[in-house]
Amino acid sequence: MSMTTIDPGAELKARIAEIKERFATESVDGKLTVRRDDGLYRHLEVEMPKSSAYWFEVMTWPGALAITGRTGSHIFRCDEDMLLFFRTCMGPGPDWKIDIRYWAEKVQPDGIGSTGVQAYAEDRVKAYIKQAAQEAEADHPGLLAEVEEELFSRYSKADLETEAGAKAALAAFEFDGFRFDTAGWEFTEYDYWFLCTCQALAWTVAQYDARVPVAA
């Protein structure tokens, strides 16, 4: 089995750090408007003129929170008071501690079973392919050239732009007795807009708490 040096966990940390840094800049002129604040029933509107996610809404009701707008739409379900849920997960202070995996588990699937949390990791899959071919080249001379022609060239019929296409192409590839062993490969990653949604929720909770102080 190929011992890959590709680290999805490190990739995730780097992506989160980059999105958090960008969000900190883009949210400077952000404005929270409380449209409704009736116990567990809340309607919050956010405008961020400097951000690509310049508008979104957060609504809560007993046991649920929905966010919709430029970040996409997600419904989270867990605790009776979902603002309290996110607040507790984040911890005190401005340095938000977002547990992406835990938050993702609370997203409700749509009618076809999708949560919109995961997306196909095309760049990572291509990196897996190149690394596996490089490692095996010594035992299978010409493998790198074959991989380039069959999977990466402009004339290739392989579809590496979708998860299903990539898996089909990898399963069909064979050269000089070499076949790709994809055991342990992670074909998906957290969707960019879901990571942005998590930052948006953390910011919204912090702004709401600053406007409506939490009882001691």
Side-chain angles (χ1 to χ4, degrees):
M1 180 182 295
S2 174
M3 299 298 292
T4 179
T5 58
I6 297 166
D7 186 350
E11 290 178 7
L12 177 60
K13 289 181 180 178
R15 294 176 70 215
I16 291 173
E18 187 272 330
I19 289 172
K20 183 175 182 179
E21 181 178 357
R22 182 188 307 147
F23 194 88
T25 299
E26 294 180 344
S27 63
V28 169
D29 292 332
K31 177 185 177 183
L32 170 68
T33 301
V34 179
R35 297 296 184 188
R36 183 182 183 186
D37 194 14
D38 181 11
L40 298 179
Y41 297 90
R42 308 178 183 92
H43 180 188
L44 314 176
E45 288 185 352
V46 174
E47 296 177 71
M48 290 189 175
K50 292 184 178 180
S51 173
S52 55
Y54 61 84
W55 172 86
F56 58 90
E57 292 179 291
V58 174
M59 288 158 280
T60 68
W61 60 96
L65 178 147
I67 179 169
T68 186
R70 295 291 293 183
T71 61
S73 297
H74 294 91
I75 296 177
F76 297 80
R77 289 186 180 274
C78 185
D79 295 345
E80 186 76 358
D81 184 348
M82 287 303 293
L83 280 197
L84 177 61
F85 166 80
F86 287 112
R87 184 185 302 122
T88 303
C89 290
M90 289 161 53
D95 188 20
W96 310 322
K97 306 296 183 183
I98 298 175
D99 188 336
I100 297 295
R101 291 179 176 85
Y102 186 50
W103 289 20
E105 291 173 359
K106 310 309 176 187
V107 177
Q108 297 298 290
D110 60 21
I112 58 173
S114 174
T115 61
V117 166
Q118 294 282 336
Y120 170 56
E122 181 180 352
D123 289 344
R124 183 193 300 153
V125 169
K126 289 180 177 179
Y128 280 137
I129 293 171
K130 291 176 180 178
Q131 180 171 278
Q134 289 169 352
E135 291 175 350
E137 173 71 15
D139 294 328
H140 303 275
L143 175 60
L144 281 169
E146 185 72 6
V147 166
E148 181 64 32
E149 180 178 350
E150 293 297 320
L151 299 179
F152 293 114
S153 78
R154 60 183 296 185
Y155 304 107
S156 171
K157 296 181 180 179
D159 172 19
L160 299 184
E161 295 183 356
T162 66
E163 181 178 356
K167 288 181 175 179
L170 291 168
F173 183 90
E174 191 277 333
F175 175 77
D176 187 32
F178 172 85
R179 303 189 72 90
F180 284 100
D181 178 3
T182 61
W185 290 20
E186 294 188 24
F187 282 78
T188 62
E189 62 187 2
Y190 285 101
D191 180 75
Y192 171 83
W193 285 109
F194 177 72
L195 296 179
C196 291
T197 291
C198 290
Q199 293 296 326
L201 279 173
W203 183 91
T204 301
V205 172
Q207 293 297 309
Y208 176 85
D209 287 349
R211 180 186 180 106
V212 184
V214 179

